[in-house]
Amino acid sequence: MMRSHYSGEVTAAAIDTTITVCGWVHRRRDHGGVIFVDLRDRSGLIQVVFDPDEAETFAAAERLRSEYVIKVTGRVRARPEGTVNRNLASGEIEVYTTALEVLNASETPPLQLDETETVGDAARLRYRYVELRKPRMQRHMQLRAQVTRAVRHALDDLGFLDIETPILTRATPEGARDYLVPSRTQPGHFFALPQSPQLFKQLLMVAGMDRYYQIARCFRDEDLRADRQPEFTQIDIEASFVDADDIMGINEQMIRQLFDDVLGVKLPDPFPRMPYAEAMRRFGSDKPDLRIDLELVDIADLVADAEFKVFSGPANSDTGRVAVLRVPGGSSLTRKQIDDYTDFVGRYGAKGLAYVKISDVAKGRDGMASPILKFLSDDAIAGIVERTGAADGDLLFFGADSTSVVNDALGALRVKLGHDLGRVSGDWAPLWVVDWPMFEYDEATKRWYAAHHPFTAPAVDDPEALKAAPHEAMAKAYDMVLNGSEIGGGSVRIHSPEMQQAAFDVLGISREEAEEKFGFLLEALKFGAPPHAGIAFGLDRLVMLMAGADSIREVIAFPKTQTATDLLTGAPGEADAAQLRELGIRLRAKPTADSSGEGAAGAGGTNDGA
């Protein structure tokens, strides 16, 4: 071993011993003929001192520059009084250097490792290996390793088997687009990279493996967003002879143990549970942040007869919603701030943002200010005040549109106001969202889609009843939410071929297509498939939350941009003519893709909803 110690591990207990440390020159300082170097490795910093009395090492130290890779041997001594750095684990000591070896020089880095430096995303991703040297990024990568290690230990202790599933598989309908891989040995045929190990983990249950897990790489060729990556990692879990309560209890235990082991945080026991319908009604979101005490209140019945068609129209529509978001103390918001919030909800389809400022509740409409008051009756105003619990100094924001637009707009506004106005209370708020609808109907395509995925078991046990009333069907599904982010999602699986075919029928997947795409699963279900259930956690998102990072990109070593471009390696690249001929592929026209790749996305979900 070149080194005897890591820099951040050297403490006052090592005083008067000789050590060897290796790393990068973080900072070099000349003070009155003595040279100080902060040497950095993944464990932290240590101060090494070069004294002119050690002529050879001092001369070499004069040539050191930022990011040179060096090996230092010297005696550990206490720092002089008044120079102790309490912010460093090694801040009480320094190393008096007796030998210095420059292991490699460095050109001037394209990025400064000062955390306060502002640099564009393109440069950070192009020189990711330099970005990763930053102490913040080192901490994030170490945290990620701690999380995966703790997850493995927890699941191993619970009797789960770590089993790998194929990366080269076949394309399946539903979900996002697949990444396709051409087969050289079978021209004209393609593998697909897995969007999730979903089908294989169910087959493992049919095979009697009983409890499975995997830290799995998944791939989705989808339109990227800020929290998505084309390749991502999930903690994939499945178990047999369990029901929803069993699998939720197992995974809740794992997450509690994970937070305790890695962060020293005690999460609630048990996690609260909330039906999907309640979450949408109270918070406009299926992943509500319970740290924010603002809620939506329905008032459609109070304004159904209003002259204001913006309210009465949705109030009398089966697909409409009229809701109020009360903001305590919000009457102090300026018109400019309200206009900014109006622009904000416009991103979610809202055509405007009506509001009422309340100065004196006792005076009724005379104690309020709003352009919409003239359209509301005294009874409606009194009913709104009573139902929302409005008080002097409050502000009421109104949403009136289709249910989906109101939920999206007011749900997002609730979160933004919570952060803007300092109404986020506590550090961690886990939640199970349960009792999901089995299907969602899309008006544009006039068809049903699975709310989770097509292998989720319905609450009803009768296939014919499922097909007769898909709009009423509830799923045995559950999502784990943390601080307003979905970190895991799963369900009890269908384990009978008849019920699986019924679900396919509702989803418009023909018998022929089902046999072509899922024939192996349908066949496996005929040979003694046990009841089973599972879940998948988005590892990238989970680590991001635990790290307190702003982006999933911060906890992925080599992320891609929002155009799925790798600025470091230049991927995706072109294939040469010989490779294409070997694969039996001919390009019709050269694509003209923008590979500038501004920004970068974070990792996203799984077929299990993580």
Side-chain angles (χ1 to χ4, degrees):
M1 295 287 290
M2 281 190 174
R3 57 159 68 96
S4 63
H5 293 74
Y6 279 95
S7 298
E9 297 172 354
V10 184
T11 66
I15 288 174
D16 291 331
T17 65
T18 297
I19 67 169
T20 300
V21 289
C22 297
W24 287 262
V25 174
H26 189 68
R27 188 177 295 109
R28 173 182 175 275
R29 308 180 303 279
D30 290 347
H31 286 174
V34 177
I35 297 175
F36 294 89
V37 167
D38 292 333
L39 185 145
R40 185 192 71 248
D41 61 26
R42 77 176 197 186
S43 68
L45 299 173
I46 191 170
Q47 180 172 283
V48 296
V49 182
F50 298 89
D51 192 283
D53 290 345
E54 303 287 341
E56 185 176 347
T57 60
F58 187 83
E62 289 184 309
R63 296 189 292 272
L64 295 180
R65 297 294 180 267
S66 177
E67 297 309 300
Y68 273 37
V69 186
I70 61 174
K71 174 183 175 182
V72 169
T73 299
R75 182 172 54 84
V76 179
R77 67 185 188 186
R79 289 199 188 191
E81 186 175 351
T83 65
V84 171
N85 185 344
R86 300 296 181 189
N87 295 321
L88 295 180
S90 63
E92 292 182 294
I93 58 90
E94 61 188 16
V95 178
Y96 181 85
T97 307
T98 55
L100 166 65
E101 181 180 353
V102 176
L103 301 174
N104 213 340
S106 173
E107 296 182 3
T108 301
L111 308 174
Q112 295 300 314
L113 271 66
D114 185 348
E115 296 285 11
T116 63
E117 182 199 29
T118 301
V119 65
D121 288 335
R124 294 177 61 195
L125 297 181
R126 168 66 180 84
Y127 300 101
R128 187 64 168 180
Y129 46 85
V130 176
E131 172 81 3
L132 286 171
R133 292 180 189 174
K134 291 185 176 182
R136 181 188 80 259
M137 298 303 295
Q138 295 272 319
R139 290 193 300 271
H140 290 174
M141 293 303 107
Q142 291 176 45
L143 174 65
R144 187 182 178 109
Q146 288 177 302
V147 168
T148 56
R149 182 169 60 247
V151 165
R152 291 184 189 280
H153 286 170
L155 292 174
D156 288 343
D157 289 345
L158 289 168
F160 284 79
L161 303 177
D162 182 359
I163 304 176
E164 294 179 340
T165 54
I167 292 295
L168 293 176
T169 179
R170 66 170 300 153
T172 57
E174 305 297 322
R177 290 183 295 272
D178 291 305
Y179 275 102
L180 299 178
V181 180
S183 170
R184 178 185 59 82
T185 57
Q186 300 182 56
H189 291 73
F190 295 83
F191 296 104
L193 302 183
Q195 296 185 32
S196 160
Q198 180 64 44
L199 299 182
F200 287 106
K201 67 179 179 180
Q202 290 191 244
L203 293 176
L204 287 171
M205 297 303 102
V206 179
M209 295 302 166
D210 196 70
R211 291 191 172 195
Y212 141 97
Y213 82 93
Q214 182 181 186
I215 309 295
R217 295 294 284 172
C218 304
F219 308 85
R220 290 187 178 184
D221 184 10
E222 61 183 340
D223 297 328
L224 300 177
R225 303 195 301 270
D227 63 343
R228 301 288 188 194
Q229 280 278 289
E231 54 180 316
F232 55 93
T233 306
Q234 67 183 37
I235 305 166
D236 204 52
I237 298 169
E238 198 82 6
S240 296
F241 304 107
V242 294
D243 58 21
D245 286 337
D246 295 329
I247 201 75
M248 290 167 69
I250 288 169
N251 286 280
E252 185 177 312
Q253 178 182 339
M254 180 195 73
I255 293 296
R256 266 197 303 270
Q257 183 176 332
L258 169 65
F259 271 72
D260 193 7
D261 291 348
V262 176
L263 298 183
V265 168
K266 302 288 187 183
L267 294 179
D269 185 6
F271 291 179
R273 298 186 182 187
M274 182 180 296
Y276 167 87
E278 180 183 346
M280 298 304 294
R281 174 176 56 81
R282 294 174 59 191
F283 307 107
S285 172
D286 58 17
K287 46 183 180 294
D289 189 341
L290 298 187
R291 298 173 304 162
I292 299 171
D293 62 355
L294 306 176
E295 295 191 20
L296 279 60
V297 176
D298 285 306
I299 60 161
D301 59 311
L302 300 177
V303 296
D305 298 326
E307 297 179 16
F308 196 31
K309 298 301 181 185
V310 171
F311 281 6
S312 59
N316 289 286
S317 169
D318 292 338
T319 60
R321 184 180 187 188
V322 185
V324 178
L325 179 64
R326 173 195 167 210
V327 184
S331 63
S332 61
L333 292 177
T334 66
R335 182 54 189 264
K336 170 66 166 59
Q337 290 174 304
I338 292 174
D339 288 343
D340 288 343
Y341 288 128
T342 302
D343 292 340
F344 174 79
V345 297
R347 304 174 200 169
Y348 298 88
K351 302 178 182 67
L353 185 62
Y355 68 91
V356 171
K357 285 188 173 185
I358 301 175
S359 57
D360 190 339
V361 170
K363 294 182 178 179
R365 71 170 65 241
D366 293 333
M368 305 178 185
S370 171
I372 68 169
L373 288 172
K374 60 187 177 183
F375 300 112
L376 301 178
S377 68
D378 289 342
D379 287 344
I381 292 172
I384 291 169
V385 168
E386 179 181 2
R387 191 169 296 179
T388 61
D392 295 351
D394 289 353
L395 180 142
L396 305 178
F397 279 125
F398 295 78
D401 209 307
S402 67
T403 299
S404 61
V405 168
V406 171
N407 288 343
D408 290 347
L410 287 190
L413 180 62
R414 170 186 173 269
V415 174
K416 182 168 178 57
L417 285 166
H419 287 276
D420 289 352
L421 303 181
R423 301 194 68 88
V424 180
S425 176
D427 295 323
W428 303 103
L431 169 72
W432 285 107
V433 176
V434 297
D435 299 337
W436 285 72
M438 182 79 175
F439 305 108
E440 297 172 340
Y441 190 74
D442 183 69
E443 287 290 345
T445 58
K446 303 298 182 184
R447 57 166 290 191
W448 292 100
Y449 290 88
H452 272 70
H453 57 61
F455 315 107
T456 297
V460 297
D461 294 326
D462 182 357
E464 293 305 317
L466 179 69
K467 292 192 290 185
H471 60 290
E472 297 178 356
M474 301 298 292
K476 296 179 181 179
Y478 35 81
D479 280 6
M480 186 183 290
V481 175
L482 183 65
N483 293 2
S485 290
E486 175 205 335
I487 60 170
S491 65
V492 174
R493 319 303 188 189
I494 296 172
H495 67 280
S496 81
E498 295 78 17
M499 184 62 81
Q500 186 62 75
Q501 187 58 63
F504 286 159
D505 289 344
V506 173
L507 294 169
I509 300 174
S510 69
R511 302 282 171 127
E512 294 76 16
E513 184 181 12
E515 185 62 34
E516 165 67 16
K517 302 294 186 181
F518 305 111
F520 60 92
L521 174 66
L522 295 173
E523 184 176 63
L525 294 180
K526 298 175 184 178
F527 293 102
H532 57 286
I535 193 169
F537 292 92
L539 175 65
D540 310 296
R541 188 177 301 158
L542 177 60
V543 177
M544 179 194 76
L545 292 172
M546 296 177 73
D550 296 328
S551 167
I552 287 181
R553 180 185 59 206
E554 293 291 299
V555 298
I556 299 174
F558 299 103
K560 293 179 174 59
T561 70
Q562 286 183 331
T563 57
T565 301
D566 184 344
L567 297 182
L568 174 63
T569 66
E574 296 181 349
D576 63 36
Q579 289 176 303
L580 293 176
R581 279 196 304 271
E582 194 173 38
L583 293 169
I585 294 175
R586 182 174 63 189
L587 299 180
R588 295 176 61 90
K590 186 174 181 178
T592 56
D594 173 19
S595 60
S596 61
E598 291 184 3
T606 70
N607 281 9
D608 248 331

